[in-house]
Amino acid sequence: MKVFSVLFVLLLASPVLAQNEDVYNDAFCASVGGQREVRHNYTFPTGESYVIVDCETEGTVYEGGLDKRSSLDSIQQAVFFAYLTGKEPAVVVYDTDGKMGRFEYRIQMACGIVGVEFLLSR
């Protein structure tokens, strides 16, 4: 895994920005040389829709989220993005409280079971 940029580390230390998922995703994606909010269209049996990938590199699709309950669906999103793109899935959880909490733990365990890369950003 690439080393996070100094900007990313500084953002993590800022309590003002600590709850803004987009700021974290912007900084993380820049640190891995990715493209933010890439749209992918898809069809399903009764229609068409699209998804937006938080961060996409040449070989990986990342779903990023805060260490909150809302991030529990990150694995499903990353796996579906991988299905659409043929790239490796990864989940990035942004730790806002400095501890491995219940949501980070649940996501990490599930990622391990299904073979999705898990990154905890502190």
Side-chain angles (χ1 to χ4, degrees):
M1 183 174 89
K2 295 182 181 179
V3 177
F4 295 136
S5 68
V6 174
L7 172 63
F8 190 56
V9 172
L10 291 174
L11 286 171
L12 293 178
S14 172
V16 174
L17 299 175
Q19 300 300 315
N20 189 326
E21 186 175 297
D22 285 333
V23 171
Y24 282 108
N25 279 329
D26 288 344
F28 172 78
C29 200
S31 77
V32 296
Q35 184 179 355
R36 278 280 284 135
E37 297 191 344
V38 180
R39 180 180 169 143
H40 292 278
N41 298 316
Y42 67 95
T43 59
F44 56 98
T46 59
E48 298 177 359
S49 192
Y50 66 92
V51 293
I52 297 177
V53 176
D54 284 338
C55 179
E56 187 170 334
T57 64
E58 187 174 312
T60 306
V61 284
Y62 296 92
E63 175 59 24
L66 299 174
D67 54 352
K68 309 286 184 223
R69 182 173 183 77
S70 60
S71 291
L72 290 175
D73 68 343
S74 295
I75 297 168
Q76 175 276 135
Q77 290 176 286
V79 170
F80 189 70
F81 299 162
Y83 162 76
L84 290 177
T85 64
K87 298 179 180 185
E88 292 296 316
V91 172
V92 183
V93 175
Y94 306 113
D95 183 23
T96 63
D97 60 8
K99 65 180 181 178
M100 173 63 88
R102 63 186 175 165
F103 300 121
E104 297 99 303
Y105 179 77
R106 287 172 61 179
I107 295 166
Q108 182 181 35
M109 292 301 105
C111 280
I113 291 168
V114 299
V116 171
E117 182 179 6
F118 173 84
L119 304 168
L120 181 62
S121 176
R122 293 201 162 140

